[in-house]
Amino acid sequence: MGPSNVDRIEAPVTVKAYMMCAFAAFAGILFGYDSGYISGVLGMAFFKREFGHPVPTSIDETGFLYSTSNKSLIVSILSAGTFFGALFAGALADWIGRRVTIIVGCIIFSVGVILQVASTSIGLLVPGRLIAGIGVGFVSAINILYMSEVAPRKVRGAIVSGYQFAITIGIMLASVVSNATQHRNDASSYRIAMGIQFVWAFILGVGLFLLPESPRYFVKKGKVDAATDALARVRGQPRDSAYIQDELAEILANYEYEREIGEVGWVGLLSGGWSPAGNFRKVVLGALLQMMQQWTGVNFIFYYSTTYFQQIGLKNAFLISMITTIVNVCSTPISFYTIERFGRRTLLIYGAIGMLVCEFIVAIVGTADPNGHSAQGALIAFVCIYIFFFASTWGPGAWVVIGEIFPLPIRSKGVAVSTASNWFWNCIIGIITPYMVDKDQGNLGSKVFFIWGALCTACVIFAYFMVPETKGLTLEQVDKMLEETTPRTSAKWRPHETYATAMEKHSEAATVEHVEPKSAGV
Ligand code: BGC
């Protein structure tokens, strides 16, 4: 018997269920801290002496500095590792489970951290960051998958936004810690900042060890009994409750349906082509969405704002950078409400409009009056407003949407490819930005914001034409909505039939067809 009421597929959200899902968001701290700590560490005098080479004090007051290529290698090797880690993790999560893949990610990450802490030269630091990056790739791709699969639909967006919130806290903690240890005159300056990463991996690994596996993974593996147990635990309901039975029937029916129409495997990502519900279209949407999130230019601020602020003559560059990380943290929770109230699509469209306006203002003001006192004040204010728009819209929005658009047979791989795209562009932007901005290179200075503004305009167009509204639907309903609407009409779509009832009708019809020829013959 399948559920017939399309609104009643899920149990009411209990506090325990909510807490369980919210815990998984903790992974964001690991992600944020890990990508955030390096900018502070690179600025430490002891680290420069240990990992750099002698230069005249007119170039760097410590008398030591890294070559541009070494600096770029140290920063970007992490994103390179993360890119491959995310891709590989997609296949692994279907094989050994979502939860176990994240735990394995924590272990790999810890190995990378040991190498980093032990390093006294680039020879060990770079492999350490590469290996840690692979671990972060596992965690960042599969955590989104896990959270989207276990979270109740009414709070799914808010829970995944909680992950982004944790990322922002991680970035802020990293800047606070490296600021606190920067003046130590021994290896503890960078070892403390690096070593703290263990704490996040430990808490996440142990916590996930205690949480249940995703019921959707068990369904995929054909273990219906284990799926029922897991679902009962994440919903805080008894196994035989009608809610659990209905939701399970829906997940099973959807999986059957998906399996009938498409193959799985990596090649399965291409099936259906560009048709509205085609797998390929969804994969392109996920990968582009994450690319666009990087194109907003946000990591220009989080990776290079200190040096940019110095370059345009601001005295408190370090402090202002730290303020941007705090604005980032404080603005993210707004999305917990708005993402469920106004929807993903609306947030992405208006968020990008807000960002592009700020970016063009920064570009114009910074170009027209580069050293003026009030111009600089305006510039700082608009950079902060820009971060506000990012943190309350695209920051969480991109992660929420990639957790929701993929059907179960390709979900883990689809999320993995999208996450890998985020890291790929993260890496590219990390490598090329200094060459565009630095005085001895492209020397764009504030003009670089014309580029970010233009790219953000592309984000508005992209969100308007390609991003569907997924708010308030179960992951199975999202599938149906994608089949029956276009992104621009998606917000009006309402569920009208569950997969379980559709499959029932389908099998009844099949039985009748099967019986009729015989009776005709009698
Ligand atoms: C992005 C990161 C970025 C962070 C800033 C995340 O959603 O993927 O690249 O550094 O937000 O808060």
Side-chain angles (χ1 to χ4, degrees):
M1 272 249 305
S4 50
N5 180 351
V6 286
D7 292 324
R8 217 214 64 181
I9 298 163
E10 262 184 18
V13 186
T14 65
V15 174
K16 187 177 160 215
Y18 199 82
M19 295 310 290
M20 271 179 155
C21 302
F23 175 80
F26 186 84
I29 300 227
L30 185 137
F31 169 168
Y33 188 96
D34 191 66
S35 41
Y37 89 83
I38 196 68
S39 78
V41 164
L42 283 174
M44 293 176 180
F46 186 85
F47 195 78
K48 284 182 185 166
R49 282 207 295 281
E50 197 85 339
F51 292 79
H53 58 82
V55 292
T57 47
S58 57
I59 293 188
D60 193 284
E61 55 183 21
T62 62
F64 289 86
L65 201 58
Y66 336 90
S67 64
T68 309
S69 56
N70 274 353
K71 186 170 144 190
S72 154
L73 180 66
I74 296 172
V75 173
S76 56
I77 195 75
L78 179 99
S79 334
T82 312
F83 169 76
F84 291 111
L87 278 185
F88 183 62
L92 203 62
D94 279 345
W95 184 35
I96 61 172
R98 282 72 166 125
R99 200 178 60 108
V100 182
T101 305
I102 301 175
I103 296 173
V104 172
C106 289
I107 297 170
I108 297 176
F109 175 75
S110 302
V111 173
V113 174
I114 293 175
L115 299 183
Q116 290 174 53
V117 172
S119 65
T120 50
S121 71
I122 295 215
L124 201 54
L125 179 68
V126 167
R129 282 191 46 90
L130 179 69
I131 294 171
I134 295 174
V136 178
F138 276 41
V139 173
S140 65
I142 306 308
N143 198 56
I144 286 290
L145 178 69
Y146 178 77
M147 285 193 298
S148 312
E149 287 190 346
V150 299
R153 69 176 152 153
K154 291 194 193 71
V155 293
R156 192 178 58 229
I159 293 223
V160 179
S161 298
Y163 170 68
Q164 170 71 16
F165 185 46
I167 295 178
T168 62
I169 294 178
I171 296 177
M172 187 187 71
L173 286 176
S175 92
V176 171
V177 170
S178 31
N179 189 31
T181 63
Q182 63 169 326
H183 295 303
R184 286 170 170 262
N185 204 17
D186 56 27
S188 68
S189 54
Y190 68 88
R191 287 193 170 143
I192 293 176
M194 289 173 178
I196 285 180
Q197 299 176 96
F198 268 127
V199 181
W200 320 132
F202 181 78
I203 299 178
L204 183 66
V206 171
L208 273 175
F209 190 73
L210 302 172
L211 287 183
E213 178 53 89
S214 158
R216 286 173 166 96
Y217 162 73
F218 284 132
V219 164
K220 202 169 173 359
K221 284 278 169 188
K223 297 180 181 167
V224 178
D225 213 40
T228 317
D229 279 341
L231 194 61
R233 277 187 68 198
V234 289
R235 295 284 176 266
Q237 299 280 329
R239 264 181 68 102
D240 49 9
S241 100
Y243 283 122
I244 300 302
Q245 295 303 322
D246 283 0
E247 189 175 353
L248 192 70
E250 184 64 359
I251 299 173
L252 280 168
N254 172 260
Y255 184 57
E256 279 310 314
Y257 171 77
E258 292 295 345
R259 242 183 17 163
E260 271 178 25
I261 52 172
E263 18 156 357
V264 219
W266 287 102
V267 184
L269 294 186
L270 305 176
S271 74
W274 201 246
S275 62
N279 286 351
F280 181 62
R281 188 170 178 143
K282 291 172 191 157
V283 173
V284 171
L285 169 63
L288 287 184
L289 188 63
Q290 291 291 348
M291 174 183 91
M292 292 287 177
Q293 195 217 39
Q294 292 300 310
W295 280 18
T296 60
V298 68
N299 283 324
F300 171 66
I301 302 295
F302 293 123
Y303 292 167
Y304 295 112
S305 62
T306 316
T307 42
Y308 162 69
F309 289 143
Q310 281 165 349
Q311 186 183 335
I312 61 168
L314 295 179
K315 291 206 176 57
N316 302 323
F318 192 87
L319 184 70
I320 300 164
S321 296
M322 213 155 84
I323 291 173
T324 62
T325 70
I326 295 169
V327 172
N328 194 27
V329 172
C330 297
S331 316
T332 305
I334 298 171
S335 69
F336 296 176
Y337 172 74
T338 51
I339 204 146
E340 301 299 3
R341 172 77 180 78
F342 302 111
R344 290 69 168 138
R345 183 180 149 79
T346 318
L347 235 56
L348 293 179
I349 295 173
Y350 287 99
I353 293 176
M355 284 191 280
L356 78 89
V357 170
C358 294
E359 288 174 325
F360 281 128
I361 292 178
V362 172
I364 293 165
V365 171
T367 309
D369 187 10
N371 301 313
H373 187 69
S374 43
Q376 288 182 342
L379 200 137
I380 297 169
F382 278 100
V383 165
C384 288
I385 302 174
Y386 157 72
I387 294 295
F388 159 82
F389 276 116
F390 175 84
S392 54
T393 63
W394 275 77
W399 295 107
V400 170
V401 173
I402 65 157
E404 300 180 328
I405 52 171
F406 296 107
L408 185 53
I410 60 155
R411 187 169 299 145
S412 61
K413 296 191 182 72
V415 174
V417 170
S418 311
T419 308
S421 157
N422 177 298
W423 287 105
F424 176 79
W425 288 100
N426 189 318
C427 186
I428 298 289
I429 288 176
I431 292 173
I432 63 173
T433 310
Y435 292 98
M436 297 197 291
V437 179
D438 285 359
K439 278 205 166 119
D440 55 343
Q441 307 282 338
N443 196 19
L444 281 184
S446 295
K447 290 193 199 84
V448 75
F449 278 94
F450 281 118
I451 297 182
W452 304 132
L455 292 175
C456 238
T457 310
C459 292
V460 179
I461 298 169
F462 168 79
Y464 182 77
F465 286 105
M466 276 198 75
V467 178
E469 184 52 69
T470 46
K471 141 185 117 132
L473 305 176
T474 66
L475 295 182
E476 287 68 30
Q477 289 166 347
V478 168
D479 248 20
K480 261 221 148 46
M481 176 273 288
L482 290 175
E483 263 174 44
E484 296 175 2
T485 65
T486 65
R488 278 180 290 165
T489 56
S490 58
K492 295 199 191 78
W493 187 84
R494 294 286 169 271
H496 46 84
E497 187 177 49
T498 64
Y499 271 97
T501 42
M503 290 302 274
E504 248 169 48
K505 277 192 210 153
H506 180 73
S507 58
E508 272 163 23
T511 324
V512 173
E513 265 171 33
H514 191 69
V515 172
E516 264 170 5
K518 278 193 196 159
S519 39
V522 173

